[in-house]
Amino acid sequence: LISKSNNNLISINERKNFNNIYFIIFDAMMPLENFKNDTVFKDKLDFNENNIISQFNSDFRYIKGSVSNYNNTKLSISSIFYNKYFLDTESEKFKNYYNFYPYFFYDQNKVNNLNLLNILRKNEVKFTWFSNSAMPCKNVIGIICGSSSSFETDILNEFKIFYAKTPIITILDKLTSSLNKEIPSDDLLDYIKDTNKIKNKNNFFFIHNMIPNGSTVYDYNCNIVEKKEINYSENPYLARYLCSIKKITELTKLISIYDDDALVLITADHGVASINLNEESRFMDGILENEGMYDPRIFTLIKFPKNCSDIAPKNYDTLNLVRYLLNCNYSQNLDYLPYFHFRAYGEDSKNFGKVNDITKSVKKELNKIKQNN
């Protein structure tokens, strides 16, 4: 599989004149149909899937049945930038996550080995990263930091990056919690309104929002609140999910107004932990002994030109969705990969550093859901 993907040589579009791409991640965002059907949430509010979809700009298409390839942020987003299954059951055991996202963005040598960024570089496309505070941006060759920040915040980010691999980072996070930014797409909205920044096209914008996952408690309008101030404080994921819907609606409308030719992929890095779901909705708990389970199903909303509909992948999983972006906008000829789902063991497990291939079980569960629908 890996050998086959490496044989896809980077093709260069001679025009070097492309539409902008917006690749926006909402951390651990489950699909609308999961949220609607799960009784943990549906007993608490009137949630209509079709009404939600109608809020998004009509240029956007909601995709049912999209899934992730890895079960956590660091592995999932790393695979996106390596543009392949970079870890499988035959891979050497890793000791920690320091060679993965976001840490590889802080090392120029590692940045140079990221296939997605190499494709952008050879096509003279600017890569702009709107980062969250937990994973701050650092300007290196090939990466532009998009979020506006004060001088003090820039200095703080440098400290965080320097100490990212030490226990001190936990103390820094606590001391600077009031400055934390979990929704960098807010900065993107302001950026888009400055049309001089986007009119030249040839931009690839990457945004990683730390909602609906994350520790900060939001109400439905994305205001930061105390837990006791929201009705559903026993499950703050609910309020953060509705906040995410609000932000996605804002993004679809603004991009369609200011950058209507853009390609947009709004998705998640992985699904939600099964423990947050009602027992009847849980996905494959118990496959790994004493290990919790992440539901691989994810939210996906896309805006692609109609002339790319005939090259859409058969499977809407994370890796193939990104390859779809590259094939459509930059005339790449990347093969779509067969679907795999790899489950990483927790850091407290004796098997940490290895991944387990649970693809067959995932496919079995997905087929069962499809038949029931």
Side-chain angles (χ1 to χ4, degrees):
L1 173 67
I2 293 174
S3 175
K4 181 180 179 182
S5 65
N6 283 342
N7 286 334
N8 289 306
L9 301 178
I10 296 172
S11 61
I12 304 172
N13 187 313
E14 296 299 331
R15 293 181 298 114
K16 291 188 172 59
N17 181 23
F18 310 100
N19 293 321
N20 290 329
I21 283 181
Y22 297 84
F23 176 38
I24 305 168
I25 287 176
F26 281 79
D27 202 280
M29 188 162 183
M30 67 168 69
L32 296 173
E33 55 272 22
N34 289 30
F35 190 84
K36 177 191 70 173
N37 293 329
D38 191 271
T39 56
V40 170
F41 304 118
K42 78 176 184 182
D43 288 350
K44 300 179 185 299
L45 78 166
D46 181 22
F47 184 87
N48 186 297
E49 178 186 345
N50 292 328
N51 287 348
I52 296 297
I53 294 174
S54 68
Q55 295 176 18
F56 307 141
N57 185 276
S58 59
D59 293 337
F60 286 75
R61 177 190 170 198
Y62 177 69
I63 303 294
K64 284 189 175 183
S66 57
V67 285
S68 58
N69 302 108
Y70 292 89
N71 69 297
N72 71 32
T73 296
K74 293 180 175 64
L75 299 188
S76 178
I77 298 183
S78 294
S79 71
I80 288 166
F81 284 93
Y82 282 117
N83 199 19
K84 64 182 181 181
Y85 293 102
F86 77 112
L87 274 181
D88 60 21
T89 55
E90 301 301 317
S91 299
E92 184 178 345
K93 188 174 183 178
F94 57 88
K95 296 180 180 179
N96 51 53
Y97 287 118
Y98 297 154
N99 287 319
F100 307 139
Y101 170 83
Y103 307 109
F104 55 31
F105 280 159
Y106 308 146
D107 185 317
Q108 187 65 66
N109 289 329
K110 292 176 182 176
V111 167
N112 293 340
N113 289 324
L114 299 177
N115 180 265
L116 191 153
L117 295 189
N118 286 336
I119 289 173
L120 300 182
R121 188 181 303 115
K122 293 198 175 188
N123 284 294
E124 299 179 9
V125 175
K126 297 186 289 292
F127 176 77
T128 303
W129 178 19
F130 288 82
S131 62
N132 59 66
S133 300
M135 302 171 183
C137 181
K138 180 177 181 180
N139 287 293
V140 300
I141 297 174
I143 296 178
I144 301 168
C145 296
S147 298
S148 58
S149 60
S150 63
F151 177 75
E152 291 83 1
T153 305
D154 289 338
I155 295 297
L156 176 62
N157 283 347
E158 285 295 329
F159 269 99
K160 282 191 170 185
I161 291 168
F162 185 79
Y163 289 109
K165 301 178 182 180
T166 72
I168 296 175
I169 189 64
T170 304
I171 300 172
L172 279 173
D173 285 340
K174 289 181 179 179
L175 292 174
T176 61
S177 59
S178 62
L179 299 175
N180 283 352
K181 181 184 298 181
E182 292 196 333
I183 314 178
S185 61
D186 286 344
D187 286 335
L188 174 67
L189 292 173
D190 293 332
Y191 192 96
I192 293 170
K193 292 175 185 176
D194 186 348
T195 54
N196 287 327
K197 293 181 178 179
I198 62 173
K199 69 179 182 180
N200 292 328
K201 309 294 184 180
N202 284 25
N203 295 295
F204 188 109
F205 300 108
F206 169 60
I207 304 93
H208 180 190
N209 291 308
M210 283 304 299
I211 56 171
N213 201 11
S215 56
T216 304
V217 181
Y218 294 92
D219 64 17
Y220 314 139
N221 291 313
C222 301
N223 300 309
I224 297 177
V225 296
E226 297 293 331
K227 283 188 177 182
K228 62 184 179 182
E229 294 181 44
I230 59 174
N231 294 330
Y232 311 133
S233 58
E234 68 273 17
N235 199 320
Y237 182 91
L238 187 152
R240 292 195 296 259
Y241 191 91
L242 297 179
C243 165
S244 299
I245 295 296
K246 180 178 185 294
K247 292 299 178 183
I248 291 170
T249 302
E250 293 174 357
L251 285 162
T252 64
K253 291 181 177 178
L254 202 73
I255 292 174
S256 292
I257 291 172
Y258 287 94
D259 201 359
D260 62 330
D261 292 329
L263 282 73
V264 186
L265 172 57
I266 301 175
T267 189
D269 47 352
H270 54 76
V272 69
S274 294
I275 195 172
N276 292 324
L277 301 174
N278 179 274
E279 285 189 15
E280 294 178 1
S281 303
R282 291 185 182 177
F283 196 93
M284 302 187 313
D285 272 340
I287 283 184
L288 303 183
E289 186 178 355
N290 299 322
E291 291 284 327
M293 197 69 206
Y294 268 88
D295 189 322
R297 294 169 290 177
I298 56 176
F299 176 98
T300 297
L301 189 72
I302 62 174
K303 177 180 176 292
F304 279 64
K306 291 181 179 179
N307 61 4
C308 284
S309 60
D310 61 338
I311 63 167
K314 180 179 179 181
N315 300 316
Y316 284 99
D317 58 272
T318 311
L319 275 172
N320 282 328
L321 282 165
V322 174
R323 286 183 167 228
Y324 186 25
L325 273 176
L326 301 175
N327 287 342
C328 178
N329 205 44
Y330 306 127
S331 300
Q332 298 296 123
N333 291 311
L334 297 168
D335 291 338
Y336 292 122
L337 303 174
Y339 177 67
F340 284 91
H341 186 81
F342 295 104
R343 173 71 167 86
Y345 291 91
E347 294 186 60
D348 57 348
S349 169
K350 64 180 181 181
N351 293 313
F352 175 71
K354 299 293 288 184
V355 296
N356 194 25
D357 182 356
I358 59 170
T359 308
K360 289 183 179 179
S361 298
V362 171
K363 286 182 176 180
K364 182 179 178 181
E365 291 290 326
L366 292 175
N367 287 333
K368 189 188 305 180
I369 292 168
K370 188 182 295 184
Q371 290 171 4
N372 291 337
N373 292 335

